[in-house]
Amino acid sequence: MPGENPLRAGQAVSGGHEDSRVTDRAIQRGRLSWCRRAGLLLAGSALASPLLGAVARAEGAVSAAGLSISTIEVVQLAVFVGVTGAAFLSAIVLIRERARTSAENVELRSRVADVNAALRRSEALLNLRDQRVVIWASENKKPELIGTLPAESGAPEDRAAFLAFGRWLMPRSAAALEHAVAALREKARAFDLVIESQAGAPLEVHGRKSAAHVLVRFVSLSETQRSQARLKIENQRLSADHDTIIGLLEALKMPAWLRDEHGRLKWVNRAYADAVEADSAEAAVRDAKEFLGGQAREAIASQHKSHPVFEQSLSTVIEGDRRVFAVTDFAGADGSAGIASDTSAIESIRGEYERTVRSHADTLDQLNTAVAIFDTEEKLRFFNQAFQKLWGLDSGFLHSAPDNALLLDRLRSEGKIAEQPEWRRWKEGLLGAYRAVESQEHWWHLPDGKTIRVVANPQPKGGVTWVFENLTEKMDLESRYRTAVRVQGETLDNLAEGVAVFGPDGRLRLSNPAFATLWGLSAEATKPNVHVSTIRDLCDRQAADSPWPGFVAAITGFDDERRERHGQSELNNGTVLRYAVIPLPNGQVMMTFVDVTDSVRVERALKDKNEALEKSDQLKNDFVQHVSYELRSPLTNIIGFTELLSLPATGPLNQKQREYVEHVGSSSSVLLTIVNDILDLATVDAGIMQLDISEVHVDRTIAAAAELVADRLEEHSIRLEVDAAAAPKTFHGDETRIRQILYNLLSNAANYAPEASTIRLACRQLADGVEFSVHDDGPGMPPDVLDSVFRRFEPRANGGRRRGAGLGLSIVKSFVELHGGGVRIETGKDKGTTVICTFPDMPGIRAAAE
């Protein structure tokens, strides 16, 4: 029965073994009975021996008395008497033993019957369809299964399938049962479990271990017990779910809390404790540290009176900062639970988004181009003032969010767009932009003569932005412009002066035949959109002292000052051209050329000798400037593409390729530095170098220059020692040029300083200015080198590591003298070299260096 002791099944099984022991005892008692009988026979034989003795004595007596009885007869008589007595005694003993044995047999049969009845009762109990017993007789034998379980329990009948608990029990129940059985067999730890099959039926399982057996009994429960078991299983499941939810809340970075029916905290997670700056969650509950302010808690309590759920954004102070949290609090019968999510960043982004949308809307309203935005349902969501003005629609209709098809139908009905031969198909094709990926472009010619360029731009999240650009005036202006250009062209073509107009991009806009004739250019070279660099290359061949580098500077914007220029140039064929460079609006430049060969020849006869000297110097400067400009552009491209090749996005490079790219980059940077130096000197020579006088911070300028040469110093283990204790904090000068001066001085010193030596950079305040000095422990300069050290393009190794372009000290001297200062050198053999630069406190800005 379900309520009986689970050990009675074991006792029933052991009843059969008790019955066999009773039978053995009965057999032993029968053997004892026969042994007693044999003893009686032996006792009868023993009685016969005295009788024989008596017979012998009687025979002697008879003989003495003279009686005639033979010995044989006496013996026979004695034997008869002995046997009869023995038989009589044996019969008595046998009768008594048989009676006792019969009584014992009756008792044994009664006990065997009782044992058999108990065995049959136990087997009947075990074979009931509401329980099943698994018996392990020993560790090495397979378990024995007795009994069955109802089919609705979901337990399989097959022995192997039944013992595979994971196949028919719920995973949690199977795992618990496996652990319990293992503990029972190994540690004799009894257990009582309630498990659940995959069919949803609850079962009780009892495990016990005796001296020789291990028994596990599965019992199908009654309806009441089943309900209790289900409640127990549900309680276990709810407990596990509770632990899981608590674990999840602990892992969340959002504060969570539980309150009792009186509103007091009874549990918080770690995020809550961190928010209220508590040492632990338990400390936060113990100290009743509140996450929300009193007003917020009152609002939650007030809301709970009418509705169990509170959802609202509340602000609170966390770590000294006010933040906004989305708070959700649920109130039940026995308390409440809440969670808060930090939405400060979201609110900030939302506010920024709304401001951006408003800004974009305000910006679009200022445009003359009509813009309309439709959502995924093809409803009008935004339009600017230009859109309303273009189509003349009332604001009420536009603010009613009409769909795109309705808007097109209204424009058609009011005659504001042209009729189409197949209106429906045309409209469907136009609205296909909502299903397109790429932008679409259409041209509308309206009945009022306007030409509209329509662009449909699909939005990533659905919808389309329509842009309506009125090109009527633009096309009219283009037509007028072409007419004016033709008139100007005819006029220019008949001028004797050569005229060329270049755009701000350096490309030829227009020219006349006289320009090509004077410079000997082909018609192909003077086509529109030819770049000035191409024309310069061709014209440079026509004149030894070509003015075209200056023209290029004026056209491309290298010349910051847009002003008229006048001059003349003599071509290789002897023609002398007088030119004028005239800036035009919109960044354009016009150049005119007049042939003044005859008048110049008369004037040149008087100035040939002086001009020859000036031209030689000018030719050198022009050549340097020309080469510098020519080199700078391709060098910039080389450096740019070298850096592009070094980027991972361009593609992987092997080690050899990476070394080549780095070598190209470093070499290009060195060459670019030389070109920049040449351009600086050319600018100084041209008298257009302007100093940006401001307050120069000494420490910052020295640090910037030292950082530029740090790699070179580190390469040769050279240490830089800076002494600025006596220096002023600031003085007036061009900070960029002073940093360039110090960089050149430090680079020159690093080139001559021995390995692992020290370069000393000092700065001190003078009575009328500031003095910078750079000293190295190199070999020093001999007198012949010292005389020409400031000359350009005269590099000398003189023990240096690398041979430069010979411009460093020239630039130093030019820039120092531009500040109104001076440069001197103190050197000697084996004494090193010290270069000293002095700057006045308030330098007078000079137009050019001496």
Side-chain angles (χ1 to χ4, degrees), residues 72-386:
I72 295 173
E73 290 177 350
V74 173
V75 171
Q76 290 178 348
L77 177 61
V79 170
F80 172 77
V81 173
V83 170
T84 302
F88 179 75
L89 292 175
S90 297
I92 294 174
V93 173
L94 181 60
I95 290 171
R96 293 180 62 185
E97 187 66 26
R98 180 176 294 176
R100 189 174 60 80
T101 302
S102 178
E104 289 182 353
N105 286 340
V106 171
E107 182 183 358
L108 289 175
R109 288 190 186 95
S110 176
R111 294 183 64 183
V112 169
D114 292 340
V115 170
N116 287 335
L119 177 61
R120 286 192 296 272
R121 184 169 60 254
S122 298
E123 290 179 349
L125 290 174
L126 290 175
N127 288 324
L128 291 176
R129 296 190 58 81
D130 61 351
Q131 62 181 344
R132 198 168 197 182
V133 181
V134 182
I135 303 172
W136 284 271
S138 66
E139 293 295 332
N140 299 326
K141 290 185 178 181
K142 294 183 178 179
E144 181 182 358
L145 273 67
I146 301 175
T148 59
L149 292 172
E152 59 269 16
S153 67
E157 290 290 335
D158 181 67
R159 176 181 175 281
F162 184 84
L163 293 175
F165 301 132
R167 297 183 180 179
W168 62 279
L169 292 177
M170 297 299 289
R172 186 180 300 169
S173 297
L177 181 58
E178 292 283 358
H179 289 303
V181 171
L184 175 65
R185 298 184 64 185
E186 295 173 3
K187 302 178 181 179
R189 187 181 299 164
F191 66 86
D192 296 289
L193 294 177
V194 177
I195 61 174
E196 184 180 11
S197 67
Q198 294 183 0
L203 300 171
E204 278 190 356
V205 184
H206 307 282
R208 298 292 185 272
K209 186 173 183 180
S210 64
H213 300 87
V214 175
L215 298 98
V216 177
R217 181 181 176 217
F218 295 80
V219 181
S220 177
L221 305 178
S222 64
E223 188 62 33
T224 302
Q225 292 172 326
R226 190 177 294 113
S227 298
Q228 293 176 353
R230 286 197 181 97
L231 290 175
K232 185 176 181 180
I233 293 173
E234 185 66 23
N235 180 62
Q236 294 173 354
R237 185 181 296 111
L238 290 176
S239 178
D241 292 343
H242 175 267
D243 293 341
T244 302
I245 292 175
I246 291 298
L248 174 62
L249 293 177
E250 282 288 357
L252 290 177
K253 300 299 182 182
M254 297 180 287
W257 60 88
L258 295 176
R259 298 180 185 273
D260 58 17
E261 62 273 12
H262 301 294
R264 293 189 295 267
L265 289 173
K266 64 178 182 179
W267 177 88
V268 297
N269 65 350
R270 183 62 198 174
Y272 184 104
D274 293 340
V276 299
E277 299 180 357
D279 295 336
S280 64
E282 293 75 11
V285 174
R286 184 181 64 250
D287 299 339
K289 290 192 173 183
E290 292 292 345
F291 172 72
L292 298 173
Q295 187 175 0
R297 296 197 305 276
E298 291 176 1
I300 295 174
S302 176
Q303 175 73 17
H304 284 333
K305 292 179 180 178
S306 58
H307 196 273
V309 179
F310 175 87
E311 289 182 308
Q312 189 174 334
S313 294
L314 300 175
S315 64
T316 187
V317 177
I318 303 296
E319 296 179 352
D321 297 330
R322 180 161 293 279
R323 301 182 186 177
V324 178
F325 286 82
V327 178
T328 302
D329 196 280
F330 174 79
D334 298 327
S336 63
I339 191 169
S341 175
D342 190 352
T343 60
S344 302
I346 297 176
E347 293 297 329
S348 176
I349 294 173
R350 180 182 289 111
E352 183 66 25
Y353 171 76
E354 292 175 353
R355 289 190 295 271
T356 302
V357 170
R358 288 194 297 269
S359 175
H360 287 178
D362 295 340
T363 302
L364 291 176
D365 269 338
Q366 303 302 319
L367 296 179
N368 292 325
T369 301
V371 178
I373 301 176
F374 290 79
D375 61 13
T376 55
E377 298 179 356
E378 302 183 13
K379 297 289 186 180
L380 180 62
R381 293 304 176 193
F382 173 81
F383 62 92
N384 62 354
Q385 296 179 3

Side-chain angles (χ1 to χ4, degrees), residues 608-621:
D608 280 344
K609 188 172 183 178
N610 187 44
E611 286 181 353
L613 296 174
E614 293 178 354
K615 187 179 295 183
S616 176
D617 186 66
Q618 182 65 31
L619 181 61
K620 175 184 175 182
N621 292 335

Side-chain angles (χ1 to χ4, degrees), residues 517-519 542-543 568-578 594-598 600-601 604:
T517 301
L518 291 174
W519 285 100
Q542 307 297 326
Q568 64 183 28
S569 176
E570 182 177 359
L571 306 185
N572 294 334
N573 59 8
T575 303
V576 178
L577 300 179
R578 179 172 295 168
V594 180
D595 187 351
V596 292
T597 305
D598 294 339
V600 168
R601 284 176 179 174
R604 185 174 299 166

Side-chain angles (χ1 to χ4, degrees), residues 584-637:
L584 300 178
N586 301 325
Q588 296 183 345
V589 175
M590 180 179 70
M591 296 188 299
T592 61
F593 301 90
V594 180
D595 187 351
V596 292
T597 305
D598 294 339
S599 59
V600 168
R601 284 176 179 174
V602 174
E603 183 181 355
R604 185 174 299 166
L606 303 175
K607 300 180 180 179
D608 280 344
K609 188 172 183 178
N610 187 44
E611 286 181 353
L613 296 174
E614 293 178 354
K615 187 179 295 183
S616 176
D617 186 66
Q618 182 65 31
L619 181 61
K620 175 184 175 182
N621 292 335
D622 290 344
F623 173 78
V624 170
Q625 186 178 10
H626 166 70
V627 172
S628 300
Y629 279 118
E630 282 297 298
L631 287 176
R632 189 172 190 177
S633 178
L635 276 176
T636 303
N637 293 335

Side-chain angles (χ1 to χ4, degrees), residues 458-648:
Q459 300 176 10
K461 294 185 178 181
V464 175
T465 300
W466 294 90
V467 179
F468 303 88
E469 186 179 3
N470 189 352
L471 300 180
T472 306
E473 294 182 1
K474 178 181 178 182
M475 296 177 68
D476 183 52
L477 290 175
E478 288 180 354
S479 177
R480 295 180 183 179
Y481 173 74
R482 293 191 186 97
T483 301
V485 167
R486 286 195 297 270
V487 172
Q488 292 176 359
E490 291 295 330
T491 302
L492 292 175
D493 288 346
N494 293 283
L495 288 178
E497 296 181 1
V499 178
V501 178
F502 291 87
D505 57 355
R507 298 189 177 276
L508 183 65
R509 291 289 184 265
L510 60 90
S511 64
N512 62 351
F515 171 74
T517 301
L518 291 174
W519 285 100
L521 302 175
S522 63
E524 188 72 20
T526 56
K527 284 184 176 181
N529 291 325
V530 175
H531 199 269
V532 64
S533 60
T534 303
I535 299 177
R536 178 198 58 194
D537 294 339
L538 296 174
C539 293
D540 283 347
R541 306 171 187 172
Q542 307 297 326
D545 186 13
S546 175
W548 278 94
F551 298 163
V552 171
I555 293 170
T556 57
F558 284 104
D559 187 356
D560 295 334
E561 184 179 358
R562 290 178 56 82
R563 56 184 177 82
E564 291 188 9
R565 294 183 181 181
H566 299 273
Q568 64 183 28
S569 176
E570 182 177 359
L571 306 185
N572 294 334
N573 59 8
T575 303
V576 178
L577 300 179
R578 179 172 295 168
Y579 60 83
V581 180
I582 304 172
L584 300 178
N586 301 325
Q588 296 183 345
V589 175
M590 180 179 70
M591 296 188 299
T592 61
F593 301 90
V594 180
D595 187 351
V596 292
T597 305
D598 294 339
S599 59
V600 168
R601 284 176 179 174
V602 174
E603 183 181 355
R604 185 174 299 166
L606 303 175
K607 300 180 180 179
D608 280 344
K609 188 172 183 178
N610 187 44
E611 286 181 353
L613 296 174
E614 293 178 354
K615 187 179 295 183
S616 176
D617 186 66
Q618 182 65 31
L619 181 61
K620 175 184 175 182
N621 292 335
D622 290 344
F623 173 78
V624 170
Q625 186 178 10
H626 166 70
V627 172
S628 300
Y629 279 118
E630 282 297 298
L631 287 176
R632 189 172 190 177
S633 178
L635 276 176
T636 303
N637 293 335
I638 291 172
I639 293 173
F641 283 109
T642 302
E643 293 175 350
L644 185 61
L645 286 173
S646 301
L647 296 177

